[in-house]
Amino acid sequence: MGAQDGPTLIASVQRAFRLLEVVGAHEGGAPAKQLAREAGLPLATTYHLLRTLVHDGYLRKLDDGGFVMGDKLYALHTGSRGQAQLTRIRPVLTALRDELSAAAYLTFYEEGEIRVAEIVDGPRAPRVDLWVGFEDAGHATALGKCVLRELDDDSRNDYLSRHPLADLTPRTITHRSELLRRLASSPAAPAVMDLEEYALGTVCVAVPVYSGHMLGSLGVSLRADRLSQVDQVRARLVPTASRVTRGLSLTI
């Protein structure tokens, strides 16, 4: 490679970013000639960059020939926003872990699945052995059951139709009617528990949280011999969940 390759590549990246900035200033889209003029780029260079950015999903070409932001840019923005939100609430989860000496978990219901977004654990607060993915264990974890209880009937039925109630321990609820009955009659609402249903020797408590309109759950796992402390745990989880919801719902 020649000695000029580095600066040339950097300049190309700068031109691409400049073009993206100009496209972003036109909500309804703008044609290539206008974009080239506003970005201060040669038309041939603009066409080349536009083809590349459209091909890679960063821009989208409209039927009228204009260009707008593509799905990949929106995905990048959403991902960075989610990371910033988690960074903001991680101290709250850490404080919860330290106060209760229990690993703290945060999940969200995304695209029909219950997914773990964050786990804050430590030497004195080890996480439960995630031997079965949470996506397939919603019926057996407090975190999953909390989400299932808060879902509307259609969403809950859709999830259960796609996820068999696998027998993970002798205590796991494996009959749909029994699971629904217990979700509807949870005496400790808004808290939900699992009593060694996911892993023997571990009990969990969870309460609902929201990130905007996205449903999730906040929970902790405890050794089964700490079951007598559940009331204390629940008393801390409820206000902490409110703090997490506020933190997640703030705009960035």
Side-chain angles (χ1 to χ4, degrees):
M1 292 185 179
Q4 296 182 348
D5 286 349
T8 300
L9 290 174
I10 292 173
S12 295
V13 172
Q14 290 174 328
R15 288 193 290 267
F17 280 134
R18 175 58 185 151
L19 188 58
L20 288 171
E21 291 173 355
V22 173
V23 173
H26 297 277
E27 185 175 348
K33 290 183 179 180
Q34 181 180 352
L35 294 172
R37 182 172 62 254
E38 294 182 7
L41 298 174
L43 186 57
T45 299
T46 301
Y47 277 126
H48 174 72
L49 290 173
L50 288 172
R51 283 195 299 269
T52 301
L53 292 169
V54 168
H55 178 270
D56 289 343
Y58 293 103
L59 293 180
R60 181 164 57 90
K61 188 175 183 180
L62 302 175
D63 293 339
D64 64 4
F67 293 86
V68 294
M69 294 297 192
D71 292 338
K72 187 170 288 188
L73 273 179
Y74 289 117
L76 287 173
H77 173 71
T78 301
S80 63
R81 182 175 183 271
Q83 290 175 4
Q85 288 176 318
L86 289 176
T87 298
R88 187 165 55 206
I89 66 167
R90 195 169 288 117
V92 179
L93 302 183
T94 300
L96 180 68
R97 176 202 65 188
D98 294 344
E99 181 178 353
L100 298 177
S101 297
Y105 308 78
L106 180 67
T107 73
F108 290 114
Y109 184 71
E110 300 178 282
E111 299 177 343
E113 301 295 345
I114 301 167
R115 294 171 176 157
V116 177
E118 186 72 7
I119 300 177
V120 178
D121 58 357
R124 291 186 294 179
R127 69 181 65 186
V128 66
D129 179 16
L130 304 180
W131 69 286
V132 175
F134 271 43
E135 292 185 6
D136 296 315
H139 66 295
T141 65
L143 292 153
K145 291 195 291 182
C146 183
V147 169
L148 290 174
R149 191 189 62 189
E150 297 297 315
L151 289 174
D152 60 63
D153 290 342
D154 289 342
S155 297
R156 185 186 306 111
N157 290 334
D158 173 69
Y159 177 90
L160 293 175
S161 71
R162 294 181 287 104
H163 297 83
L165 305 189
D167 186 3
L168 304 184
T169 79
R171 296 178 178 269
T172 306
I173 302 170
T174 56
H175 292 91
R176 180 168 173 168
S177 59
E178 177 64 11
L179 176 64
L180 294 176
R181 185 189 70 78
R182 294 198 190 185
L183 292 178
S185 61
S186 177
V192 176
M193 295 183 60
D194 86 68
L195 302 174
E196 301 184 77
E197 297 162 45
Y198 177 79
L200 290 176
T202 300
V203 298
C204 300
V205 188
V207 293
V209 295
Y210 288 87
S211 177
H213 295 294
M214 182 183 296
L215 170 65
S217 58
L218 170 69
V220 296
S221 60
L222 309 164
R223 296 190 316 274
D225 61 10
R226 295 179 61 191
L227 185 59
S228 61
Q229 301 174 20
V230 163
D231 288 343
Q232 172 193 350
V233 170
R234 185 166 57 240
R236 292 305 309 136
L237 271 177
V238 173
T240 302
S242 296
R243 291 183 62 191
V244 169
T245 292
R246 288 196 299 272
L248 291 170
S249 300
L250 291 173
T251 58
I252 298 174

